[in-house]
Amino acid sequence: MKKINLLIFKKRFYLFFLLFFTVFFMNLFLWNETTQLIREIPRLIVLKNNVSDEIYEIGYVPISYDDGLIKDYSPEEKKAIYHLLLDSFYYTDKNTKLYLGKEKYLNANKKDQENSLTRISEFQLENKFNAKTLDHLFFADILVFDLNRDELEEIQEKAHNLNFPIVFYSLRQSFQIEWDYYFGNFIFGLISSVFFMSFSLFIIYLIITSSLKIFQQEIRMLRIMGLSKKRIERNFNFLLLFPIILIFPLFLMFVQVVGLQPIMIDLTYLLIINTFLVIFSHLLINKKVRMKINAES
């Protein structure tokens, strides 16, 4: 049987390599999208607990050149944007509406949330616009209070006219956007993983079917010499399941090499899908071998 195994590998080496890569990508797509969702669940829970249609955060993505460098605003442009923010959030009939401390606010207890915020003074805002480059992290930490959607959309439109691309999201919208992103990626990863698993089973089907056909004389001779049906089944199982079993630890090594440490739940769902693939492959191999041997008996 060892000689037959070697000949099978030589004649179908391209299918074995294809099997190796399909199992690898089955693990990669599932892990890459699922681990992101799992690692973001604590933050998603925090956002879910703070959903609100009255509190807004600012989305600001700096304008950049084609080479990725952030485009600087001229002093005149910065001055115009600064005065727009003053007129919109300070020179009104209410108090300042811009606060720093978004992450502290989201993670604080309900009774401590107000104390976690810091009002942004005009002087502090002016300093940010006197800097050479606008700090996008500063805007990402801002929460906006006491303005409705219509007022914010008007400010947003004026800002866009000044080439300052800010967007206001309610905390409810922020939660929904992030949930849709990570859950959508998870569904994509799951579907892709199932596709690669199905393709892996198809490759195993091609290998076992062609091998039984090509080496039917040799297998018949082994049966005449007293080799049992179970020995033949075990041999083909070892030949075709070994690449599947081998790729699992190799994939975990790859994950660590690229600088990411898999967490325990990653190992759990990866082990589950690889176990399913091994079981389905085992059943497929045994079925094809038994059918072939029984047909020749």
Side-chain angles (χ1 to χ4, degrees):
M1 286 302 298
K2 292 181 179 179
K3 184 178 179 181
I4 293 177
N5 290 345
L6 183 60
L7 291 173
I8 291 173
F9 183 78
K10 283 185 176 181
K11 288 181 176 292
R12 294 292 182 267
F13 71 92
Y14 55 92
L15 289 178
F16 280 94
F17 279 108
L18 190 57
L19 177 63
F20 180 90
F21 284 110
T22 54
V23 177
F24 177 86
F25 283 115
M26 177 193 76
N27 286 287
L28 179 63
F29 275 90
L30 182 62
W31 168 78
N32 187 55
E33 307 302 345
T34 305
T35 194
Q36 291 185 58
L37 175 61
I38 292 172
R39 293 167 196 257
E40 286 296 319
I41 282 178
R43 174 172 172 77
L44 291 171
I45 292 174
V46 168
L47 288 174
K48 177 65 175 177
N49 292 335
N50 288 279
V51 291
S52 171
D53 294 316
E54 299 177 351
I55 304 174
Y56 292 80
E57 62 176 333
I58 297 177
Y60 169 58
V61 179
I63 298 174
S64 59
Y65 297 103
D66 292 338
D67 58 3
L69 292 176
I70 295 177
K71 182 179 179 180
D72 291 329
Y73 290 97
S74 68
E76 293 75 17
E77 289 175 320
K78 288 182 181 178
K79 186 176 180 179
I81 298 169
Y82 169 65
H83 282 291
L84 170 65
L85 297 182
L86 283 182
D87 294 338
S88 303
F89 299 106
Y90 292 83
Y91 299 162
T92 63
D93 56 347
K94 298 179 182 179
N95 294 327
T96 305
K97 300 171 180 64
L98 297 182
Y99 293 80
L100 277 179
K102 182 182 74 175
E103 293 302 322
K104 291 181 180 178
Y105 176 87
L106 294 176
N107 288 283
N109 296 325
K110 292 294 183 181
K111 62 180 181 179
D112 298 326
Q113 283 185 322
E114 289 187 11
N115 297 328
S116 65
L117 294 172
T118 304
R119 287 187 178 184
I120 303 173
S121 66
E122 294 181 35
F123 177 75
Q124 188 176 9
L125 187 65
E126 184 179 10
N127 284 341
K128 291 297 179 181
F129 279 89
N130 285 334
K132 183 179 180 181
T133 303
L134 292 181
D135 184 5
H136 68 279
L137 295 178
F138 169 75
F139 291 99
D141 198 37
I142 291 177
L143 286 178
V144 181
F145 290 80
D146 300 326
L147 287 175
N148 59 46
R149 166 53 63 184
D150 292 336
E151 292 173 310
L152 291 172
E153 286 181 353
E154 183 179 349
I155 298 170
Q156 184 175 296
E157 183 178 354
K158 291 178 180 178
H160 285 201
N161 292 335
L162 295 175
N163 209 25
F164 183 52
I166 59 172
V167 181
F168 296 98
Y169 300 106
S170 70
L171 292 185
R172 184 181 301 278
Q173 287 176 304
S174 295
F175 164 73
Q176 197 61 51
I177 289 171
E178 292 208 29
W179 169 256
D180 290 345
Y181 174 77
Y182 288 108
F183 187 72
N185 285 354
F186 163 70
I187 294 299
F188 169 76
L190 182 61
I191 292 173
S192 299
S193 183
V194 171
F195 168 78
F196 281 111
M197 183 172 69
S198 301
F199 195 51
S200 299
L201 289 171
F202 177 66
I203 294 171
I204 290 175
Y205 172 83
L206 291 179
I207 295 175
I208 188 66
T209 302
S210 61
S211 298
L212 290 173
K213 184 176 181 180
I214 294 172
F215 297 101
Q216 58 182 338
Q217 294 296 336
E218 288 82 353
I219 294 173
R220 185 180 298 115
M221 184 62 65
L222 290 172
R223 287 285 291 153
I224 294 173
M225 294 172 61
L227 194 66
S228 67
K229 184 190 304 182
K230 287 191 175 296
R231 285 280 302 276
I232 297 175
E233 289 176 358
R234 282 200 299 266
N235 177 77
F236 280 110
N237 273 285
F238 174 80
L239 177 65
L240 295 175
L241 296 183
F242 181 74
I244 299 174
I245 297 172
L246 178 64
I247 194 60
F248 183 65
L250 291 179
F251 175 76
L252 296 179
M253 291 174 59
F254 164 80
V255 170
Q256 292 182 327
V257 167
V258 297
L260 296 172
Q261 185 66 36
I263 55 181
M264 184 58 65
I265 195 168
D266 289 334
L267 301 178
T268 301
Y269 63 74
L270 287 174
L271 186 61
I272 289 173
I273 193 169
N274 281 273
T275 301
F276 273 123
L277 179 57
V278 168
I279 292 173
F280 291 148
S281 300
H282 171 73
L283 294 175
L284 175 62
I285 293 166
N286 286 355
K287 180 179 179 181
K288 295 302 295 183
V289 172
R290 289 172 185 173
M291 288 176 60
K292 185 66 177 178
I293 293 177
N294 290 339
E296 295 179 352
S297 299

